[in-house]
Amino acid sequence: MTVEVIFSHSGSMFAYYLGIAEVLQKYDLSDVVFSGTSGGCFPCILLNSKNDIREFFEDILNCVKTSKDSWENVIRDFLTEYLSEDDIEANKGKFTCKLTKLNDFFLPEKVKVSKWTDKQDFVDCIVASCYVPIMCGNKFYIEYRDQKIVDGFFSGASNEPVTENKHILFSPSKWRYVNPSWLLPSKDTVWLKSLYELGYNDALANIKDISSVLKPNKEKDLETQNDPVRQSE
């Protein structure tokens, strides 16, 4: 039976989600579909394309360290360079991106996108879903497919499944209290590293919660749940 894995809105918590995703790589995801909002899109597309999660995280941290550009341009430039055509192909039929469309008088409307014309359209879609006005760029919205778009959080779709299938939701407060400031975009790479390890350790601590919905590839793959808590560097 197909299972839907949902990654909610994020801000800086995209790093936390990637830590969770490192654990999810140990599961059989062949019959899983993903939906994501904002930085929650990152683990979705990486798990579908089977890219190394930690490598992606380290690479984007290096990009953040060296770039003085806005988050909008950092995400666009990084994904354009990092993702291959095969990565885009791997997400067809397996991933839905949630956006917020601003209608007349800036009224929010839920938008779900699961088909893309090419790699650039795919990258632009992810950038649009991540766009928090002013904080990610100097605009009140971003243009995507000739529509005014902002982060999917603003339409209230972040936690909603896009299918009728059984699902598991990964949200910022799923397993712990989250200070609202954690949901703001940050370029503090030390802080982002600590969030990554927090997500990884929280996923291991709640492995039974995950295993009640997803199947491990092999039981021995989950032996790491008994490892000592990992510390951020």
Side-chain angles (χ1 to χ4, degrees), residues 94-146:
K94 296 274 288 181
F95 168 58
T96 299
C97 182
K98 300 171 188 174
L99 313 166
T100 298
K101 174 185 173 184
L102 298 178
N103 292 314
D104 294 340
F105 305 107
F106 286 85
L107 295 175
E109 176 185 337
K110 299 173 184 177
V111 175
K112 301 169 186 175
V113 180
S114 56
K115 294 181 180 180
W116 300 272
T117 57
D118 53 28
K119 176 180 172 178
Q120 191 59 57
D121 186 50
F122 185 87
V123 170
D124 288 345
C125 183
I126 304 302
V127 173
S129 180
C130 293
Y131 192 78
V132 178
I134 306 303
M135 302 198 73
C136 290
N138 59 4
K139 300 168 290 199
F140 288 105
Y141 56 83
I142 195 170
E143 293 277 348
Y144 176 63
R145 295 183 177 178
D146 297 321

Side-chain angles (χ1 to χ4, degrees), residues 14 30 34 50 62 68 94-95 114 216:
F14 82 88
S30 58
F34 294 88
K50 296 182 172 58
N62 289 333
K68 295 182 179 179
K94 296 274 288 181
F95 168 58
S114 56

